[in-house]
Amino acid sequence: MKILITGALGQIGSELTTSLKKIYGEQNIISSDIRTENITPEFLPYEHLNILDKIKLAEIVKKYKITTIYHLASILSAVGEKNPQLCWNINMTGLHNILEVARELGVKQIICPSSIAVFGPETPKINTKQQTIILPKTMYGITKAAGELICDYYVAKFGIDVRGIRYPGLISHKTLPGGGTTDYAVEIFYEALKNKSYKCFLKSDTILPMMYMPDAIRGTIQLAETDFARLKNHSNFNFSGISFSCSELANEIKKHIPDFEISYVPDFRQEIADSWPSSIDDSPAQEQWGWKAEYDLERMTEDMITNLRNKISND
Ligand SMILES: NC(=O)c1ccc[n+]([C@@H]2O[C@H](COP(=O)([O-])OP(=O)(O)OC[C@H]3O[C@@H](n4cnc5c(N)ncnc54)[C@H](O)[C@@H]3O)[C@@H](O)[C@H]2O)c1
């Protein structure tokens, strides 16, 4: 097992790298990213890779005899709406490069994240099913919906084992999120601990599906390790954790920091949030690979605050 991670320095990659190393061995996990700064020892062996450079990608796959790729390099929703051309290019050309190199060089397995951004305003909002109306209105959502289709095409046409999860907004304390619409749910913790106040860019009653990172990492590896024959779906698994509104999260934080204050000044991200579901039905993931989230709002908030307090006091 030799695993390449693209976008390894990001919010998911920085935690997935450590978890995969524990399971498969330090030297069997090769991290890569377009970034050249802050490459700490936990990311070694490390390769500088722009996912648009297919020749370099193929060289790395050959050099390390890569068998599995976790393809995390991507432009997220809010950054993508500011630069839709870049979003299309990185998310689509980057993914196509991964799939083609896998086909040409015999990489056995690709894990490629999708997102709740595949859904749009016409999609039923409550307990949204996996198979439903997929009419995204953001460029990010369009690339994720098209990404699911091309991944499934490579499964059917070329027999490559490609799998993917529709992540909800992910909450974590190790690495800051990379410019998504659910980033408020991470920023709020930093601001509550440092300044006891937060100006939220979404309305107080905006409910979005979220998940705590330890659940997301565990679920991702669980899907990757499931016997291929058990899977009826491949690249489009709904994946449910916790749904809460901005004010419900603020109230939970207030239980730990009673003088915390929040104000609401919605910006362009409100429209993106309004086009997404508020809760997710993930029964195919439960049935096909035994998925079950462990963290609820209370447990996640307590764990975030404990870990961020330590992090801030060590800075
Ligand atoms: N974090 C979330 O809440 C969330 C939710 C839904 C889906 N996802 C998906 O999960 C995947 C990983 O997301 P993340 O949150 O870790 O993102 P992130 O923005 O934190 O990290 C992405 C990484 O990709 C790198 N990158 C950007 N352009 C690149 C390029 N041209 N070549 C190589 N690397 C490049 C960035 O430097 C960054 O380290 C993405 O596909 C994203 O769409 C994330």
Side-chain angles (χ1 to χ4, degrees), residues 111-305:
I111 309 298
C112 180
S114 186
S115 162
I116 54 160
V118 297
F119 302 118
E122 292 90 349
T123 310
K125 275 193 175 303
I126 313 285
N127 288 331
T128 303
K129 297 230 175 290
Q130 185 164 295
Q131 189 141 340
T132 181
I133 300 166
I134 304 282
L135 289 170
K137 298 293 184 279
T138 60
M139 180 54 86
Y140 176 67
I142 291 167
T143 66
K144 288 296 175 188
E148 288 181 358
L149 292 174
I150 196 173
C151 285
D152 280 349
Y153 181 85
Y154 272 69
V155 177
K157 182 89 175 174
F158 302 117
I160 302 175
D161 175 355
V162 193
R163 310 175 180 197
I165 283 171
R166 289 174 179 155
Y167 293 108
L170 299 179
I171 298 168
S172 66
H173 51 81
K174 185 172 181 191
T175 305
L176 285 169
T181 302
T182 51
D183 289 10
Y184 93 85
V186 178
E187 289 170 10
I188 191 172
F189 284 98
Y190 282 85
E191 293 303 314
L193 284 164
K194 284 184 177 165
N195 303 319
K196 297 194 177 323
S197 74
Y198 179 60
K199 192 165 85 177
C200 184
F201 59 74
L202 298 179
K203 288 193 239 164
S204 64
D205 59 353
T206 308
I207 301 175
L208 286 168
M210 301 279 187
M211 186 179 286
Y212 197 34
M213 191 62 89
D215 270 342
I217 299 292
R218 187 174 53 82
T220 303
I221 297 173
Q222 198 175 325
L223 170 61
E225 289 188 336
T226 298
D227 187 356
F228 185 78
R230 280 183 62 190
L231 300 181
K232 298 188 193 86
N233 307 107
H234 298 99
S235 307
N236 63 342
F237 280 104
N238 272 9
F239 192 50
S240 178
I242 331 161
S243 284
F244 50 80
S245 68
C246 305
S247 59
E248 282 169 332
L249 176 58
N251 288 338
E252 196 60 38
I253 291 173
K254 272 185 204 166
K255 289 184 190 166
H256 301 264
I257 308 168
D259 48 352
F260 170 57
E261 285 180 2
I262 184 161
S263 59
Y264 300 93
V265 185
D267 68 11
F268 74 100
R269 288 168 281 195
Q270 185 66 49
E271 195 182 338
I272 303 178
D274 288 342
S275 75
W276 291 350
S278 41
S279 58
I280 298 290
D281 174 340
D282 63 3
S283 32
Q286 292 176 36
E287 285 153 19
Q288 293 176 47
W289 45 281
W291 170 244
K292 193 173 186 320
E294 283 178 357
Y295 282 84
D296 59 15
L297 178 59
E298 197 180 336
R299 198 173 152 207
M300 183 270 292
T301 304
E302 195 178 330
D303 202 63
M304 274 296 279
I305 288 180

Side-chain angles (χ1 to χ4, degrees), residues 93-117:
T93 309
L95 173 58
H96 191 238
N97 285 345
I98 291 281
L99 293 168
E100 274 297 278
V101 166
R103 184 183 68 78
E104 286 161 11
L105 299 179
V107 175
K108 290 194 177 64
Q109 189 183 51
I110 309 289
I111 309 298
C112 180
S114 186
S115 162
I116 54 160

Side-chain angles (χ1 to χ4, degrees), residues 2 9 19 27 53 70 77 81 83 111 124 184 205 310:
K2 284 274 182 190
L9 301 183
S19 297
Q27 289 307 312
D53 186 348
Y70 283 75
S77 60
E81 278 319 277
N83 194 341
I111 309 298
Y184 93 85
D205 59 353
N310 290 338

